[in-house]
């Protein structure tokens, strides 16, 4: 589950912490009231983890990284495809007046895009994150309907928790390797 480079683990903590905050925020669109303290705590913890990851990545910026002349362009292509697929899908869902499905669609795209990212930078933890985010995306609609909860709350909480745990794990990996 460990990456070879401290900088990559720290940067992963930053990225996952930042995006965990976004997902906890999306979950606050229409959650049950009793979820709000958990969502706010998740957002705060995610921001703190992102800040710590950013600081540690900055301190190790000159160290080794999996990103090089071969991996960087491929990474950019994978992320570009992710953004395009998420945007096109969300746009189509809006045209079809199925906006409630945008959050699980975006989560599905995020989960699927993490599989090639994990292979590209050789960071096994990201494979687990990819699988878990994909499962959250696929389970969100039936779980939300069964519990009469907003789909965005279910997918936002689930994806936020997965990303926060992965961010904290990456931060700990970076700190132990440091």
């Amino acid at each position: 589950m460990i990456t070879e480079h401290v900088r990559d683990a720290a940067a992963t903590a930053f990225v996952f912490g930042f995006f965990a905050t976004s997902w906890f925020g999306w979950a606050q669109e229409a959650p049950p009231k009793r979820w709000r303290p958990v969502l706010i705590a998740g957002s705060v913890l995610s921001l703190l983890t992102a800040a710590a990851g950013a600081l540690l990545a900055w301190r190790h910026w000159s160290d080794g990284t999996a990103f090089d002349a071969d991996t960087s362009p491929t990474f950019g292509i994978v992320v570009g495809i992710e953004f395009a697929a998420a945007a096109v899908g969300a746009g189509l869902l809006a045209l079809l007046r199925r906006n409630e499905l945008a959050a699980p669609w975006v989560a599905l795209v995020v989960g699927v895009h993490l599989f090639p990212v994990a292979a590209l930078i050789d960071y096994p933890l990201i494979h687990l994150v990819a699988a878990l985010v994909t499962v959250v995306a696929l389970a969100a609609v039936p779980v939300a309907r069964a519990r009469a909860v907003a789909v965005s709350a279910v997918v936002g909480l689930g994806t936020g928790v997965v990303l926060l745990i992965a961010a904290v794990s990456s931060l700990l990996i970076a700190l132990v390797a440091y």
Side-chain angles (χ1 to χ4, degrees):
M1 293 303 206
I2 297 176
T3 184
E4 183 180 341
H5 306 286
V6 173
R7 173 181 151 184
D8 293 345
T12 299
F14 164 70
V15 171
F16 282 171
F18 173 81
F19 283 109
T21 301
S22 300
W23 283 101
F24 285 125
W26 203 341
Q28 292 183 50
E29 176 183 32
K33 286 188 181 196
R34 67 184 187 282
W35 289 22
R36 287 205 189 271
V38 172
L39 296 172
I40 291 168
S43 291
V44 170
L45 289 172
S46 298
L47 279 176
L48 292 172
T49 305
L55 179 62
L56 195 56
W58 174 72
R59 290 186 66 183
H60 289 274
W61 200 254
S62 297
D63 296 356
T65 180
F67 292 95
D68 59 23
D70 294 328
T71 57
S72 292
T74 305
F75 178 81
I77 291 167
V78 169
V79 171
I81 291 169
E82 173 207 14
F83 274 92
V88 168
L92 288 173
L93 289 167
L95 285 173
L96 297 171
R97 301 196 189 289
R98 298 302 306 262
N99 292 334
E100 77 281 4
L101 299 177
W105 169 253
V106 171
L108 180 65
V109 172
V110 168
V112 169
H113 112 281
L114 287 173
F115 286 107
V117 167
L120 187 66
I121 65 173
D122 194 27
Y123 192 180
L125 174 66
I126 298 176
H127 283 291
L128 178 61
V129 174
L132 292 174
V133 170
T134 301
V135 167
V136 167
L138 294 172
V141 173
V143 168
R145 288 183 180 155
R147 304 223 187 273
V149 176
V151 176
S152 62
V154 173
V155 75
L157 176 63
T159 303
V161 166
V162 169
L163 293 177
L164 175 56
I165 291 170
V168 169
S169 298
S170 285
L171 183 61
L172 292 173
I173 288 166
L175 288 170
V176 168
Y178 177 63

